[in-house]
Amino acid sequence: MVAMKPSRAETRRYLPTSPFKAPAPAPPAETFAVHDQVTHDKYGLGVILGVEDGIAVLVDFGPQRLRIPVPCAKLTKL
C-alpha cells in the first residue's frame, strides 16, 4: 500500500494577477516588556522579569521562574 503525498496548497505563492483573494497576512509576533502580566497554558499567571530580544523571556510564575523561547503559542500577554 502506498501512502498519498499531502497537498501542496499551503506552499503555493500568491500571484498579483490571480482572481482569488490574497492570503491573509501573518499576525505580528507578540512583543513582551519587563513587568508585563502573562498567562501560560501549563504554568498559569506570571510576570515578565527579563526579555532577550527575539530569543526568549524570563517569566516568574510564583513558585518557579522559567525561560521561555519566543514566539510561544501557549504564552499570551494580558
Side-chain angles (χ1 to χ4, degrees), residues 25-37:
E30 200 164 20
T31 56
F32 299 101
V34 177
H35 302 295
D36 279 347
Q37 290 185 343

Side-chain angles (χ1 to χ4, degrees), residues 3-77:
M4 294 177 55
K5 293 182 181 179
S7 96
R8 294 181 353 172
E10 65 272 358
T11 60
R12 293 184 184 161
R13 63 188 170 106
Y14 172 75
L15 299 174
T17 58
S18 174
F20 303 103
K21 292 193 308 185
E30 200 164 20
T31 56
F32 299 101
V34 177
H35 302 295
D36 279 347
Q37 290 185 343
V38 294
T39 182
H40 191 277
D41 291 347
K42 183 176 179 183
Y43 303 110
L45 296 174
V47 177
I48 302 288
L49 296 178
V51 178
E52 298 173 29
D53 293 330
I55 300 171
V57 291
L58 180 64
V59 186
D60 181 17
F61 289 109
Q64 59 186 343
R65 293 181 178 180
L66 295 173
R67 181 178 178 268
I68 300 176
V70 291
C72 177
K74 296 181 178 183
L75 186 70
T76 55
K77 189 189 304 187

